Amino acid sequence: MSKDKRGGRPLDTVRPVEIRPGFHQLSEGSVLYRAGGTHVLCTASIDEKVPAWMEGKGRGWVTAEYQMHPRANPVRREKRDGRERPLGGRTREIERLIGRALRSALDLERLGERSIVIDCDVLEADGGTRTASITGGFVAVALALYRLKQTRKLVEPVLRDQVAAVSAGHVDGQLALDLCYAEDSTARVDLNVVATERGDIIEIQGTAEGEAVPRTDFDRMVDLALEGIGQLCRVQRAALAEAGVELDTLLMKR
Amino acid sequence: MSKDKRGGRPLDTVRPVEIRPGFHQLSEGSVLYRAGGTHVLCTASIDEKVPAWMEGKGRGWVTAEYQMHPRANPVRREKRDGRERPLGGRTREIERLIGRALRSALDLERLGERSIVIDCDVLEADGGTRTASITGGFVAVALALYRLKQTRKLVEPVLRDQVAAVSAGHVDGQLALDLCYAEDSTARVDLNVVATERGDIIEIQGTAEGEAVPRTDFDRMVDLALEGIGQLCRVQRAALAEAGVELDTLLMKR
Amino acid sequence: MSKDKRGGRPLDTVRPVEIRPGFHQLSEGSVLYRAGGTHVLCTASIDEKVPAWMEGKGRGWVTAEYQMHPRANPVRREKRDGRERPLGGRTREIERLIGRALRSALDLERLGERSIVIDCDVLEADGGTRTASITGGFVAVALALYRLKQTRKLVEPVLRDQVAAVSAGHVDGQLALDLCYAEDSTARVDLNVVATERGDIIEIQGTAEGEAVPRTDFDRMVDLALEGIGQLCRVQRAALAEAGVELDTLLMKR
Amino acid sequence: MSKDKRGGRPLDTVRPVEIRPGFHQLSEGSVLYRAGGTHVLCTASIDEKVPAWMEGKGRGWVTAEYQMHPRANPVRREKRDGRERPLGGRTREIERLIGRALRSALDLERLGERSIVIDCDVLEADGGTRTASITGGFVAVALALYRLKQTRKLVEPVLRDQVAAVSAGHVDGQLALDLCYAEDSTARVDLNVVATERGDIIEIQGTAEGEAVPRTDFDRMVDLALEGIGQLCRVQRAALAEAGVELDTLLMKR
Amino acid sequence: MSKDKRGGRPLDTVRPVEIRPGFHQLSEGSVLYRAGGTHVLCTASIDEKVPAWMEGKGRGWVTAEYQMHPRANPVRREKRDGRERPLGGRTREIERLIGRALRSALDLERLGERSIVIDCDVLEADGGTRTASITGGFVAVALALYRLKQTRKLVEPVLRDQVAAVSAGHVDGQLALDLCYAEDSTARVDLNVVATERGDIIEIQGTAEGEAVPRTDFDRMVDLALEGIGQLCRVQRAALAEAGVELDTLLMKR
Amino acid sequence: MSKDKRGGRPLDTVRPVEIRPGFHQLSEGSVLYRAGGTHVLCTASIDEKVPAWMEGKGRGWVTAEYQMHPRANPVRREKRDGRERPLGGRTREIERLIGRALRSALDLERLGERSIVIDCDVLEADGGTRTASITGGFVAVALALYRLKQTRKLVEPVLRDQVAAVSAGHVDGQLALDLCYAEDSTARVDLNVVATERGDIIEIQGTAEGEAVPRTDFDRMVDLALEGIGQLCRVQRAALAEAGVELDTLLMKR
């Protein structure tokens, strides 16, 4: 049954991902990121200064904004976040997650007193928009850093790690990777993991909707997520390569 | 000199326009509209009801939202409209214009008690974003109406007119059509015209920045705009045809 | 039929206008402006500095606020704009129009680093409040400039043009000038024109509610509006003269 | 010394008051109220229903809004309350006071399920704006009740009391009535009293700025205020009489 | 009858008061103040600077915030002030009262350029929360000043007066002191008095709900309130003494 | 070194916890919860209806609000959340967490169409305020359910699980349980776990500030947290027993 919703996709495999670097031409780095029916426009904008509260510390800053297109769902147009109502708690929560995740990918001292703002505009949503924003956002950041390198504003690499994110959950009694909306809305538990290519954990958020989850199931979901993040890191790397950017040249040596 | 900024484009010719119907798959109608460096995602969402204040009148409603992507400009990321500040007066003014313009294209009685909301997300801006939103929005609306027709929710045509919009202004002492940002920012006067394919006027907004404009210049700019609207109507019609939609089948007979 | 609503007033004539200069004593310039049943209190306040974003450029600034009294209509008290709801889009649109219109009347370089804020409080409304605000606001500005001249803060004239505004529209199938509310609410089209005494155009805003308007009708409405602006300029000049201010002494030489 | 600021006015006398009934023609009752340099436009609007939370109780409601014109002071334009900042605490406090004061003048059961909203727009301010709003507001309410009586919507009188308000304070060591701004800004204590023509107290608000005030001084200020309220009641009565309204015909019998 | 609601308490006696100094350990001064069923947590926070608009004048500042716990009443949880609705007018009015009352207790010049902010969180409410906030707030301020004295930041006393507050009103036809909610909700009139230990008046606020109140009743209520303030001053003094603080050492000499 | 900050407390032991049931008397259930220097007032309010969007489904609802007292920190008063700035993203995030955590403890069908709102007011903060809110909030909910049982509004138990929460992190290179602020602010990683007495996981949130964390460290922190949750469940059970409530009588049978 779960296979049908997944269109035959194995339980430990992420959805087909398409990454179009440079879709947005005015920002320093951008991708149109598509994972199944979830489409996110990620742009990375460089600003040669930091927020007032960070000035004079010699460190850079990375932050994110996330916005759902009012018709990102197949059923009915929703109100635009921030209009006729304050910015939603869910939106703020996701923005903070994206910001922390991508901030941890960089060495902020090496970045110097400049900011990177990642805008994640979800054009179409079919589950997994926050993890798509992080995985796509990483590529946009890498492209923006490449631009800084090309223009000689950055000489040394500042990327500490390659970072991606994915979700895992329960579908029809089975643990599975990267759920689409139809799967997710029946899921008993939802786990989002942000990790590095090497499998070290940056952020983990798991919520049992309804019943609590045994520790063993929880551990298995982390395994699945780390497996999926490995798959996504390969796609990120390939997309950058096609855009002429060798990821290793941007990564700091260990 | 003005020729350089226009890249050799004649003074009475609109910028090259590219229309990609169906770019956004979840909405009933959509286009990615590109006029030179101005890129707008226009979606039309159908809702089978009207706002509370219109209920029971047997008439439909059309409205629009307009949002600038925070990095829609080449220089620096701006704050997202509606965050950390109220929705700007300029944004509200443009939304009202788009709504009026596309509302006037339809016979609201014939549409019946349903709403069409057009979302115009300016992804990249190089001048003329409000007129691009109207011209692209019209195609999105036509596609949504075609969908209603295909699903037999509408039997009779409800489009009264084909509608497009363009600007005219002064560049380096000469009157010219469809100014890009570099031209517009030095313009003494800015005129936006919304009109039908036949050249009847729906909306006209002209502002002299600085000195007042002689009546004769003003009339000449209206001529130019109506010429440009003719050019744009041909592009709209072709884009719809390529998407398999014959515009005349959606238009009411005169 | 249209004659009755107009009380016998010819189609090319503005409503009777009464201007009371100095009604508000604390502001540098003020008028109580009455055009038929539309009453607007216009005050011009001088501030010997400019907004932060304009400092150091040696130029002045002119801006406007517009507010409808909650009982400006004969039927029912409305909520006060800005209370229990954000400032409306219509209000912001009108404020921007008034600001642009009166800003264009002055040479901002000559004004020097000072601001003029025009407050237009509509006490009673019977159509044409935005054009009344501009026509009355011009007189308030002229009185404030006269005060600056009297106190020797300004030596040279800074007024480039005499400016007024009026609307034109359709009533019962005929084109007519300066519609009151009863006429306007049945109008197919509404055109607002701001122009100089010489007939040069500063701003033009025309909207067809419902059907599009033939170009010839549109041109005829501009003719009517320029005729009406001539009439209003004579009233402005007379009101200033009665207040002891010779308008020509405030106008820059051509 | 205090005599100079008061222009020779005795310490136990209110400022010269001018009341122009019917200044605002669209509301059911209105006055332009002038007490010295303090000018308030008071309108009373009748609505034939009550707020949702009062429906079905068979009682009426009276409420007030108060707004300072941005240039109500001689020195500098202030921001308009409710724009670019939330409605101020002082404004809300005054509105609640005016509402309570005028509500207590009516028998709400007899008024029936209808609302009276009093809008007090302070056009020019020279101290005592809240008491002017109450004293002027009472006349506007009386005129609106007279209108209800004329149109036979009310048959029995609903006014319980004639109500007015005034302030008292210290000026240069002496207790005095109805201080203007120059006096008030140096006052050690400010007392506002709302009372009936017979001298019964509706509301009393006294604040010592700085040092506490001996009980005997406080009692003397109440005496002065009740004396002033008697003077104002005579002016209210005369203004109504001139407008053709005999106050006693609106007052309930004791 | 009124005796029952008051539980046998005489008409000229305040409710039993319990003051727990130091309940909140992080603030410079605090009390948990209980008067019958009204419980208020008062904290006084010292900040070694003043608001921007007061800088450089060599004077200190005292201000207050007041917040009702959403379940401060026995019946039903209310919305938290400031969430899903703007801060209420009643809250702002009370905050301003508390601030003025406690500000007047200090010599702001002697305090020097530092601020004291008193937070009054009403945990449970049974009438008289604003007067409890003032009476409890005074003790919190005294404790904070004692801390400044202990740390040698203040050498001279800065307290001008001992300050407390209480209400008086009508219950079942009799005048009475310090009404609880059940008494107050039937009261015809509500008087709040802030005064010094010596009986000088700082603030007085009296409102007749419904009928106006004869001057003699009003005077009698002031008598009662001053009597109650004497009682409360003794409780304040005792609570400070138990906390090891001799109030007289903090008071300026007369 | 880490021992000093922890005051000798072992790395796998929670801070001393004190629970005072019934501290707030007006709410259906309440505790003053103290874990070291973190003090939270938790109240549970029962409302015999559900939000509009849940009506008619026969299910109950549980939600939470969280507010930091402005002086919950030892250094300086902060602005009150929701005043002069919108409600913070962190606050909203924590509220949603508390709500989900305690909602999962109940069988909402069995609860019936009633709501429980948990207010968590952090009076003093020394790290771990969100987990303290959950652990204390659970006891407040249990007390409120006991009240429903006593008043026969609930006959069957509705609690599915005993729930508590705690954090784990790195201090000076060692993994440790329940960090206070001084420890937490130097922590490389922060993990919050909500779990049942049996060790099943309800929510897990882990964030690496700075470097990513190896999977093995992460697993060890989950172990520590589940150990701590066991300790806290014993304290909850004892506090309820002292208040005369046997927890097992409120728990559904497995």
Side-chain angles (χ1 to χ4, degrees), chain D residues 1-3 5-6 11 168-177 179 182-189 213-214 217-218 220-221 224:
Chain D
M1 208 160 357
S2 70
K3 275 224 175 137
K5 279 181 200 155
R6 294 177 73 85
L11 292 168
H170 258 121
V171 192
D172 299 330
Q174 288 179 285
L175 297 170
L177 187 61
L179 282 54
E183 296 171 295
D184 192 43
S185 60
T186 64
R188 268 182 48 215
V189 59
V213 172
D217 278 18
F218 176 78
R220 172 68 187 130
M221 286 193 291
L224 275 174

Side-chain angles (χ1 to χ4, degrees), chain A residues 160-183:
Chain A
R160 286 205 298 218
D161 283 304
Q162 184 181 355
V163 167
V166 79
S167 73
H170 257 120
V171 193
D172 300 330
Q174 288 180 285
L175 298 171
L177 188 60
D178 192 17
L179 281 55
C180 71
Y181 180 78
E183 296 172 296

Side-chain angles (χ1 to χ4, degrees), chain F residues 24 37 54-55 107 112 116 130 135 144 149 168 171 173 185 187 189 208 240:
Chain F
H24 186 272
M54 281 199 66
E55 278 171 20
D107 183 316
I116 305 179
R130 75 186 72 189
T135 306
K149 190 184 161 200
V171 193
S185 60
V189 59
L240 284 166

Side-chain angles (χ1 to χ4, degrees), chain F residues 5 129 143 153 166 232:
Chain F
K5 279 179 200 157
T129 62
L143 290 167
K153 287 190 184 151
V166 79
L232 292 169

Side-chain angles (χ1 to χ4, degrees), chain A:
Chain A
M1 206 160 359
S2 69
K3 276 227 175 133
D4 287 350
K5 280 179 199 157
R6 294 178 72 86
R9 176 162 60 98
L11 293 167
D12 61 353
T13 304
V14 299
R15 286 180 282 181
V17 171
E18 183 193 351
I19 301 181
R20 293 180 51 188
F23 178 82
H24 185 273
Q25 299 162 26
L26 296 171
S27 50
E28 279 74 21
S30 77
V31 301
L32 181 63
Y33 184 91
R34 289 176 164 143
T38 291
H39 303 180
V40 187
L41 171 60
C42 304
T43 63
S45 297
I46 305 256
D47 194 357
E48 292 293 326
K49 62 181 203 295
V50 287
W53 57 272
M54 282 198 67
E55 278 171 20
K57 300 186 182 166
R59 304 174 63 229
W61 188 241
V62 176
T63 187
E65 289 198 0
Y66 167 97
Q67 189 178 35
M68 196 69 101
H69 187 279
R71 190 56 194 281
N73 71 79
V75 183
R76 166 176 304 113
R77 191 182 178 275
E78 304 285 349
K79 277 184 189 162
R80 212 172 263 264
D81 214 355
R83 297 216 185 174
E84 298 168 62
R85 51 167 186 162
L87 203 59
R90 178 184 170 275
T91 295
R92 295 287 291 120
E93 202 172 303
I94 293 176
E95 292 184 349
R96 287 158 57 90
L97 169 64
I98 302 170
R100 281 195 308 270
L102 295 179
R103 200 152 51 236
S104 83
L106 274 82
D107 183 317
L108 299 177
E109 319 264 322
R110 286 197 172 205
L111 180 59
E113 288 217 357
R114 53 169 64 91
S115 304
I116 305 180
V117 184
I118 300 105
D119 284 288
C120 300
D121 284 76
V122 179
L123 303 183
E124 316 206 24
D126 186 24
T129 61
R130 76 186 71 189
T131 51
S133 296
I134 292 167
T135 307
F138 176 81
V139 183
V141 168
L143 291 166
L145 293 175
Y146 180 71
R147 166 97 54 115
L148 286 179
K149 190 183 160 201
Q150 294 295 96
T151 54
R152 314 294 300 165
K153 289 189 182 152
L154 268 183
V155 179
E156 298 289 308
V158 302
L159 266 183
R160 286 205 298 218
D161 283 304
Q162 184 181 355
V163 167
V166 79
S167 73
H170 257 120
V171 193
D172 300 330
Q174 288 180 285
L175 298 171
L177 188 60
D178 192 17
L179 281 55
C180 71
Y181 180 78
E183 296 172 296
D184 191 43
S185 59
T186 63
R188 269 181 48 214
V189 59
D190 182 33
L191 181 77
N192 290 286
V193 177
V194 187
T196 66
E197 190 187 18
R198 278 191 315 280
D200 291 342
I201 289 170
I202 287 170
E203 179 111 13
I204 201 156
Q205 291 187 342
T207 304
E209 303 284 344
E211 245 170 292
V213 172
R215 171 78 192 268
T216 47
D217 278 17
F218 176 77
D219 286 346
R220 172 68 187 129
M221 286 192 292
V222 176
D223 292 342
L224 276 174
L226 293 178
E227 165 62 27
I229 283 168
Q231 296 167 21
L232 293 168
C233 282
R234 287 189 287 278
V235 181
Q236 287 175 329
R237 191 173 279 270
L240 284 165
E242 269 184 52
V245 179
E246 182 61 41
L247 179 55
D248 287 330
T249 64
L250 298 174
L251 283 164
M252 292 161 57
K253 294 264 156 48
R254 282 278 155 179

